[in-house]
Amino acid sequence: MSEITIKEVAKRCGVGVSTVSRALNNHSDINPETKARIMKVIEETGYIPNNSARNLKRTDSKCIAVLIKGITNPFFSPMIEVIEDETRRKKYSLVIRHVGAYEDEADVALELEKERKLRGIIFLGGGYRKSTNKLKSLSVPVVFSTIGAPLIESQSKADFSSVSVDDRLESKRMIEHMIGLGHKKIAIITEGSEELSVGQLRLQGYVEALKAAKIEVNEDLIRYLDPNLEHYSVQNGYRTAKDLINSGTEFTAIFCVSDMLAIGACRALMDAGYKIPKDISVSGFDGLSIGQYYSPRLTTMRQPMMELSRQSIGLLFDIIDEVSEHKNITLACELIQGESVWKPKGYRK
């Protein structure tokens, strides 16, 4: 029989590893009944704390990794800066690894853990419903940043942390804003992934808002990105909007699931002779600074990038230091009313 581990004790007790650790170290902030249950399991299993392992933990390589899917997306740049600063402050080293569009994030993480002595991993971007069983094989804590709890299998939420916005709800809010200005023929540019993803969650919000307003969902106005181009890129926004324009389908507004897509869509509309927002309104999602310097200034749903990154790295270090268990944190977005969305042409309330 293999030697019992602290993870196995925690699993049998239905608590986190940090709770078992606090019980072993006689911390005062633990429920007496929980502590009694843990000590009983320890006695029954014969678990012995490995002091040499504890000492090794204090002296081993202090290194964390950030795995980024969509590294060309400027949304991640300021987030990485915050993570770098906090990592440096904690006297840890940082490994940044790009994950290709069609690479399995779990395979990349497992391989990286073999190559480097890691203490934790942060994932930026991507989707993980297929990969959670593989990720459970990792021996270090994982925090999903910008990837919400709906993208993690329900049975896995106790094993991983997430810090994100509610993509479905915030997209619904944007569509409600556009409907409130009088738009009924609203197109969406999103990704066509078969798996649940950030783009799919934002599509859900779009559909829910239309249905709540009793507006028929026109499938011809749902436009999916070109899978052969970089996702969430200006080029993909331009190409997809151009296809929408050429289709002849009538619309008064476009909601793009990222600001970079929205900027590409604006250029396609202007090249086709449309004025924004006089003829067509365009909105985005993310709140990139470039959107506020674009002409017209972009109406967007701004994600709290700094807070997302601060909470992600802070939570990872708290788990590493055994002062926190895994959490799923949801932050709110801010609707930025720029110059790219207005009432539809000829609209009279």
Side-chain angles (χ1 to χ4, degrees), residues 308-333:
L308 282 167
S309 47
R310 275 193 291 266
Q311 293 223 26
S312 296
I313 187 63
L315 179 56
L316 181 63
F317 280 130
D318 283 349
I319 297 169
I320 290 171
D321 295 336
E322 297 187 354
V323 299
S324 175
E325 298 180 3
H326 283 291
K327 299 177 182 177
N328 297 122
I329 299 170
T330 303
L331 304 177
C333 289

PDB file of all heavy atoms in Angstrom, residues 308-333:
ATOM      1  N   LEU A 308      -7.995  41.814 -11.529  1.00  0.00           N
ATOM      2  CA  LEU A 308      -7.953  40.402 -11.910  1.00  0.00           C
ATOM      3  C   LEU A 308      -6.569  39.807 -11.669  1.00  0.00           C
ATOM      4  O   LEU A 308      -6.437  38.717 -11.104  1.00  0.00           O
ATOM      5  CB  LEU A 308      -8.323  40.246 -13.390  1.00  0.00           C
ATOM      6  CG  LEU A 308      -9.803  40.328 -13.770  1.00  0.00           C
ATOM      7  CD1 LEU A 308      -9.961  40.479 -15.277  1.00  0.00           C
ATOM      8  CD2 LEU A 308     -10.561  39.096 -13.287  1.00  0.00           C
ATOM      9  N   SER A 309      -5.536  40.542 -12.092  1.00  0.00           N
ATOM     10  CA  SER A 309      -4.177  40.023 -11.953  1.00  0.00           C
ATOM     11  C   SER A 309      -3.714  40.052 -10.501  1.00  0.00           C
ATOM     12  O   SER A 309      -3.071  39.108 -10.027  1.00  0.00           O
ATOM     13  CB  SER A 309      -3.211  40.809 -12.846  1.00  0.00           C
ATOM     14  OG  SER A 309      -3.400  42.188 -12.717  1.00  0.00           O
ATOM     15  N   ARG A 310      -4.061  41.142  -9.777  1.00  0.00           N
ATOM     16  CA  ARG A 310      -3.656  41.225  -8.364  1.00  0.00           C
ATOM     17  C   ARG A 310      -4.284  40.104  -7.543  1.00  0.00           C
ATOM     18  O   ARG A 310      -3.607  39.463  -6.725  1.00  0.00           O
ATOM     19  CB  ARG A 310      -4.060  42.580  -7.775  1.00  0.00           C
ATOM     20  CG  ARG A 310      -3.058  43.685  -8.014  1.00  0.00           C
ATOM     21  CD  ARG A 310      -3.342  44.898  -7.146  1.00  0.00           C
ATOM     22  NE  ARG A 310      -4.562  45.578  -7.556  1.00  0.00           N
ATOM     23  CZ  ARG A 310      -4.600  46.598  -8.394  1.00  0.00           C
ATOM     24  NH1 ARG A 310      -3.468  47.058  -8.916  1.00  0.00           N
ATOM     25  NH2 ARG A 310      -5.743  47.171  -8.708  1.00  0.00           N
ATOM     26  N   GLN A 311      -5.567  39.856  -7.769  1.00  0.00           N
ATOM     27  CA  GLN A 311      -6.229  38.800  -7.003  1.00  0.00           C
ATOM     28  C   GLN A 311      -5.733  37.415  -7.411  1.00  0.00           C
ATOM     29  O   GLN A 311      -5.633  36.510  -6.582  1.00  0.00           O
ATOM     30  CB  GLN A 311      -7.742  38.901  -7.174  1.00  0.00           C
ATOM     31  CG  GLN A 311      -8.337  40.149  -6.540  1.00  0.00           C
ATOM     32  CD  GLN A 311      -9.615  39.870  -5.787  1.00  0.00           C
ATOM     33  OE1 GLN A 311      -9.849  38.759  -5.303  1.00  0.00           O
ATOM     34  NE2 GLN A 311     -10.456  40.878  -5.668  1.00  0.00           N
ATOM     35  N   SER A 312      -5.419  37.244  -8.693  1.00  0.00           N
ATOM     36  CA  SER A 312      -4.936  35.932  -9.176  1.00  0.00           C
ATOM     37  C   SER A 312      -3.607  35.562  -8.532  1.00  0.00           C
ATOM     38  O   SER A 312      -3.451  34.467  -7.985  1.00  0.00           O
ATOM     39  CB  SER A 312      -4.795  35.955 -10.697  1.00  0.00           C
ATOM     40  OG  SER A 312      -6.035  36.144 -11.324  1.00  0.00           O
ATOM     41  N   ILE A 313      -2.654  36.484  -8.591  1.00  0.00           N
ATOM     42  CA  ILE A 313      -1.330  36.176  -8.041  1.00  0.00           C
ATOM     43  C   ILE A 313      -1.370  36.133  -6.511  1.00  0.00           C
ATOM     44  O   ILE A 313      -0.715  35.314  -5.881  1.00  0.00           O
ATOM     45  CB  ILE A 313      -0.260  37.187  -8.549  1.00  0.00           C
ATOM     46  CG1 ILE A 313       1.138  36.755  -8.121  1.00  0.00           C
ATOM     47  CG2 ILE A 313      -0.568  38.594  -8.109  1.00  0.00           C
ATOM     48  CD1 ILE A 313       1.601  35.436  -8.692  1.00  0.00           C
ATOM     49  N   GLY A 314      -2.202  37.018  -5.915  1.00  0.00           N
ATOM     50  CA  GLY A 314      -2.324  37.011  -4.461  1.00  0.00           C
ATOM     51  C   GLY A 314      -2.926  35.715  -3.955  1.00  0.00           C
ATOM     52  O   GLY A 314      -2.463  35.146  -2.956  1.00  0.00           O
ATOM     53  N   LEU A 315      -3.961  35.233  -4.649  1.00  0.00           N
ATOM     54  CA  LEU A 315      -4.600  33.980  -4.254  1.00  0.00           C
ATOM     55  C   LEU A 315      -3.647  32.810  -4.415  1.00  0.00           C
ATOM     56  O   LEU A 315      -3.582  31.920  -3.547  1.00  0.00           O
ATOM     57  CB  LEU A 315      -5.859  33.765  -5.090  1.00  0.00           C
ATOM     58  CG  LEU A 315      -6.662  32.485  -4.825  1.00  0.00           C
ATOM     59  CD1 LEU A 315      -7.062  32.375  -3.362  1.00  0.00           C
ATOM     60  CD2 LEU A 315      -7.912  32.452  -5.718  1.00  0.00           C
ATOM     61  N   LEU A 316      -2.862  32.797  -5.499  1.00  0.00           N
ATOM     62  CA  LEU A 316      -1.907  31.703  -5.704  1.00  0.00           C
ATOM     63  C   LEU A 316      -0.903  31.644  -4.565  1.00  0.00           C
ATOM     64  O   LEU A 316      -0.637  30.571  -4.012  1.00  0.00           O
ATOM     65  CB  LEU A 316      -1.190  31.865  -7.043  1.00  0.00           C
ATOM     66  CG  LEU A 316      -0.181  30.762  -7.369  1.00  0.00           C
ATOM     67  CD1 LEU A 316      -0.876  29.402  -7.491  1.00  0.00           C
ATOM     68  CD2 LEU A 316       0.582  31.068  -8.654  1.00  0.00           C
ATOM     69  N   PHE A 317      -0.344  32.789  -4.181  1.00  0.00           N
ATOM     70  CA  PHE A 317       0.632  32.801  -3.093  1.00  0.00           C
ATOM     71  C   PHE A 317      -0.009  32.421  -1.758  1.00  0.00           C
ATOM     72  O   PHE A 317       0.618  31.747  -0.928  1.00  0.00           O
ATOM     73  CB  PHE A 317       1.312  34.169  -2.989  1.00  0.00           C
ATOM     74  CG  PHE A 317       2.417  34.363  -3.988  1.00  0.00           C
ATOM     75  CD1 PHE A 317       2.461  35.500  -4.778  1.00  0.00           C
ATOM     76  CD2 PHE A 317       3.404  33.412  -4.154  1.00  0.00           C
ATOM     77  CE1 PHE A 317       3.477  35.687  -5.709  1.00  0.00           C
ATOM     78  CE2 PHE A 317       4.429  33.582  -5.089  1.00  0.00           C
ATOM     79  CZ  PHE A 317       4.463  34.722  -5.864  1.00  0.00           C
ATOM     80  N   ASP A 318      -1.259  32.816  -1.541  1.00  0.00           N
ATOM     81  CA  ASP A 318      -1.952  32.426  -0.306  1.00  0.00           C
ATOM     82  C   ASP A 318      -2.129  30.915  -0.228  1.00  0.00           C
ATOM     83  O   ASP A 318      -2.007  30.315   0.848  1.00  0.00           O
ATOM     84  CB  ASP A 318      -3.331  33.102  -0.234  1.00  0.00           C
ATOM     85  CG  ASP A 318      -3.240  34.561   0.174  1.00  0.00           C
ATOM     86  OD1 ASP A 318      -2.152  34.994   0.608  1.00  0.00           O
ATOM     87  OD2 ASP A 318      -4.258  35.279   0.049  1.00  0.00           O
ATOM     88  N   ILE A 319      -2.413  30.286  -1.365  1.00  0.00           N
ATOM     89  CA  ILE A 319      -2.567  28.822  -1.389  1.00  0.00           C
ATOM     90  C   ILE A 319      -1.215  28.153  -1.176  1.00  0.00           C
ATOM     91  O   ILE A 319      -1.091  27.173  -0.442  1.00  0.00           O
ATOM     92  CB  ILE A 319      -3.214  28.362  -2.711  1.00  0.00           C
ATOM     93  CG1 ILE A 319      -4.635  28.934  -2.827  1.00  0.00           C
ATOM     94  CG2 ILE A 319      -3.264  26.838  -2.783  1.00  0.00           C
ATOM     95  CD1 ILE A 319      -5.258  28.772  -4.204  1.00  0.00           C
ATOM     96  N   ILE A 320      -0.174  28.690  -1.844  1.00  0.00           N
ATOM     97  CA  ILE A 320       1.177  28.144  -1.672  1.00  0.00           C
ATOM     98  C   ILE A 320       1.602  28.223  -0.203  1.00  0.00           C
ATOM     99  O   ILE A 320       2.184  27.282   0.347  1.00  0.00           O
ATOM    100  CB  ILE A 320       2.193  28.904  -2.560  1.00  0.00           C
ATOM    101  CG1 ILE A 320       1.945  28.578  -4.042  1.00  0.00           C
ATOM    102  CG2 ILE A 320       3.629  28.560  -2.174  1.00  0.00           C
ATOM    103  CD1 ILE A 320       2.748  29.439  -5.000  1.00  0.00           C
ATOM    104  N   ASP A 321       1.296  29.370   0.436  1.00  0.00           N
ATOM    105  CA  ASP A 321       1.683  29.582   1.835  1.00  0.00           C
ATOM    106  C   ASP A 321       0.715  28.938   2.817  1.00  0.00           C
ATOM    107  O   ASP A 321       0.864  29.098   4.037  1.00  0.00           O
ATOM    108  CB  ASP A 321       1.775  31.091   2.128  1.00  0.00           C
ATOM    109  CG  ASP A 321       2.882  31.768   1.337  1.00  0.00           C
ATOM    110  OD1 ASP A 321       3.832  31.063   0.943  1.00  0.00           O
ATOM    111  OD2 ASP A 321       2.804  32.987   1.110  1.00  0.00           O
ATOM    112  N   GLU A 322      -0.307  28.253   2.284  1.00  0.00           N
ATOM    113  CA  GLU A 322      -1.288  27.522   3.087  1.00  0.00           C
ATOM    114  C   GLU A 322      -2.075  28.424   4.032  1.00  0.00           C
ATOM    115  O   GLU A 322      -2.428  28.047   5.148  1.00  0.00           O
ATOM    116  CB  GLU A 322      -0.615  26.385   3.875  1.00  0.00           C
ATOM    117  CG  GLU A 322       0.004  25.322   2.982  1.00  0.00           C
ATOM    118  CD  GLU A 322       0.522  24.123   3.748  1.00  0.00           C
ATOM    119  OE1 GLU A 322       0.512  24.152   4.996  1.00  0.00           O
ATOM    120  OE2 GLU A 322       0.928  23.150   3.088  1.00  0.00           O
ATOM    121  N   VAL A 323      -2.382  29.642   3.578  1.00  0.00           N
ATOM    122  CA  VAL A 323      -3.238  30.533   4.368  1.00  0.00           C
ATOM    123  C   VAL A 323      -4.611  30.661   3.712  1.00  0.00           C
ATOM    124  O   VAL A 323      -5.484  31.359   4.219  1.00  0.00           O
ATOM    125  CB  VAL A 323      -2.602  31.937   4.546  1.00  0.00           C
ATOM    126  CG1 VAL A 323      -1.295  31.826   5.285  1.00  0.00           C
ATOM    127  CG2 VAL A 323      -2.417  32.630   3.198  1.00  0.00           C
ATOM    128  N   SER A 324      -4.803  29.996   2.574  1.00  0.00           N
ATOM    129  CA  SER A 324      -6.100  30.030   1.901  1.00  0.00           C
ATOM    130  C   SER A 324      -6.328  28.724   1.157  1.00  0.00           C
ATOM    131  O   SER A 324      -5.386  28.058   0.732  1.00  0.00           O
ATOM    132  CB  SER A 324      -6.157  31.198   0.906  1.00  0.00           C
ATOM    133  OG  SER A 324      -7.367  31.171   0.171  1.00  0.00           O
ATOM    134  N   GLU A 325      -7.604  28.363   1.043  1.00  0.00           N
ATOM    135  CA  GLU A 325      -7.986  27.234   0.214  1.00  0.00           C
ATOM    136  C   GLU A 325      -8.413  27.770  -1.149  1.00  0.00           C
ATOM    137  O   GLU A 325      -8.421  28.973  -1.385  1.00  0.00           O
ATOM    138  CB  GLU A 325      -9.118  26.451   0.892  1.00  0.00           C
ATOM    139  CG  GLU A 325      -8.689  25.863   2.230  1.00  0.00           C
ATOM    140  CD  GLU A 325      -9.800  25.086   2.917  1.00  0.00           C
ATOM    141  OE1 GLU A 325     -10.888  24.961   2.321  1.00  0.00           O
ATOM    142  OE2 GLU A 325      -9.572  24.624   4.041  1.00  0.00           O
ATOM    143  N   HIS A 326      -8.778  26.879  -2.059  1.00  0.00           N
ATOM    144  CA  HIS A 326      -9.180  27.305  -3.398  1.00  0.00           C
ATOM    145  C   HIS A 326     -10.479  28.108  -3.358  1.00  0.00           C
ATOM    146  O   HIS A 326     -11.381  27.820  -2.559  1.00  0.00           O
ATOM    147  CB  HIS A 326      -9.334  26.097  -4.315  1.00  0.00           C
ATOM    148  CG  HIS A 326      -8.024  25.553  -4.790  1.00  0.00           C
ATOM    149  ND1 HIS A 326      -7.220  26.238  -5.661  1.00  0.00           N
ATOM    150  CD2 HIS A 326      -7.370  24.390  -4.494  1.00  0.00           C
ATOM    151  CE1 HIS A 326      -6.127  25.528  -5.902  1.00  0.00           C
ATOM    152  NE2 HIS A 326      -6.193  24.418  -5.211  1.00  0.00           N
ATOM    153  N   LYS A 327     -10.557  29.117  -4.220  1.00  0.00           N
ATOM    154  CA  LYS A 327     -11.733  29.991  -4.299  1.00  0.00           C
ATOM    155  C   LYS A 327     -12.088  30.245  -5.760  1.00  0.00           C
ATOM    156  O   LYS A 327     -11.225  30.191  -6.629  1.00  0.00           O
ATOM    157  CB  LYS A 327     -11.453  31.346  -3.635  1.00  0.00           C
ATOM    158  CG  LYS A 327     -11.123  31.295  -2.162  1.00  0.00           C
ATOM    159  CD  LYS A 327     -10.808  32.702  -1.649  1.00  0.00           C
ATOM    160  CE  LYS A 327     -10.418  32.690  -0.187  1.00  0.00           C
ATOM    161  NZ  LYS A 327     -10.054  34.057   0.278  1.00  0.00           N
ATOM    162  N   ASN A 328     -13.347  30.569  -6.008  1.00  0.00           N
ATOM    163  CA  ASN A 328     -13.810  31.034  -7.321  1.00  0.00           C
ATOM    164  C   ASN A 328     -14.323  32.457  -7.126  1.00  0.00           C
ATOM    165  O   ASN A 328     -15.368  32.671  -6.523  1.00  0.00           O
ATOM    166  CB  ASN A 328     -14.905  30.133  -7.878  1.00  0.00           C
ATOM    167  CG  ASN A 328     -14.429  28.708  -8.133  1.00  0.00           C
ATOM    168  OD1 ASN A 328     -14.972  27.764  -7.600  1.00  0.00           O
ATOM    169  ND2 ASN A 328     -13.411  28.560  -8.948  1.00  0.00           N
ATOM    170  N   ILE A 329     -13.559  33.423  -7.624  1.00  0.00           N
ATOM    171  CA  ILE A 329     -13.843  34.846  -7.406  1.00  0.00           C
ATOM    172  C   ILE A 329     -14.371  35.468  -8.694  1.00  0.00           C
ATOM    173  O   ILE A 329     -13.782  35.281  -9.763  1.00  0.00           O
ATOM    174  CB  ILE A 329     -12.572  35.586  -6.954  1.00  0.00           C
ATOM    175  CG1 ILE A 329     -12.059  34.995  -5.628  1.00  0.00           C
ATOM    176  CG2 ILE A 329     -12.835  37.083  -6.804  1.00  0.00           C
ATOM    177  CD1 ILE A 329     -10.685  35.502  -5.224  1.00  0.00           C
ATOM    178  N   THR A 330     -15.471  36.200  -8.589  1.00  0.00           N
ATOM    179  CA  THR A 330     -16.057  36.891  -9.743  1.00  0.00           C
ATOM    180  C   THR A 330     -16.052  38.389  -9.484  1.00  0.00           C
ATOM    181  O   THR A 330     -16.549  38.850  -8.455  1.00  0.00           O
ATOM    182  CB  THR A 330     -17.501  36.426 -10.001  1.00  0.00           C
ATOM    183  OG1 THR A 330     -17.518  35.007 -10.189  1.00  0.00           O
ATOM    184  CG2 THR A 330     -18.063  37.095 -11.248  1.00  0.00           C
ATOM    185  N   LEU A 331     -15.485  39.157 -10.428  1.00  0.00           N
ATOM    186  CA  LEU A 331     -15.409  40.612 -10.325  1.00  0.00           C
ATOM    187  C   LEU A 331     -16.368  41.253 -11.328  1.00  0.00           C
ATOM    188  O   LEU A 331     -16.733  40.634 -12.330  1.00  0.00           O
ATOM    189  CB  LEU A 331     -13.978  41.088 -10.588  1.00  0.00           C
ATOM    190  CG  LEU A 331     -12.890  40.484  -9.688  1.00  0.00           C
ATOM    191  CD1 LEU A 331     -11.513  41.000 -10.108  1.00  0.00           C
ATOM    192  CD2 LEU A 331     -13.140  40.801  -8.223  1.00  0.00           C
ATOM    193  N   ALA A 332     -16.745  42.494 -11.063  1.00  0.00           N
ATOM    194  CA  ALA A 332     -17.692  43.191 -11.927  1.00  0.00           C
ATOM    195  C   ALA A 332     -16.970  43.989 -13.002  1.00  0.00           C
ATOM    196  O   ALA A 332     -15.853  44.465 -12.805  1.00  0.00           O
ATOM    197  CB  ALA A 332     -18.571  44.122 -11.094  1.00  0.00           C
ATOM    198  N   CYS A 333     -17.625  44.141 -14.166  1.00  0.00           N
ATOM    199  CA  CYS A 333     -17.119  44.982 -15.256  1.00  0.00           C
ATOM    200  C   CYS A 333     -17.746  46.376 -15.169  1.00  0.00           C
ATOM    201  O   CYS A 333     -18.694  46.604 -14.421  1.00  0.00           O
ATOM    202  CB  CYS A 333     -17.472  44.370 -16.616  1.00  0.00           C
ATOM    203  SG  CYS A 333     -16.569  42.873 -17.035  1.00  0.00           S
TER     204      CYS A 333
END
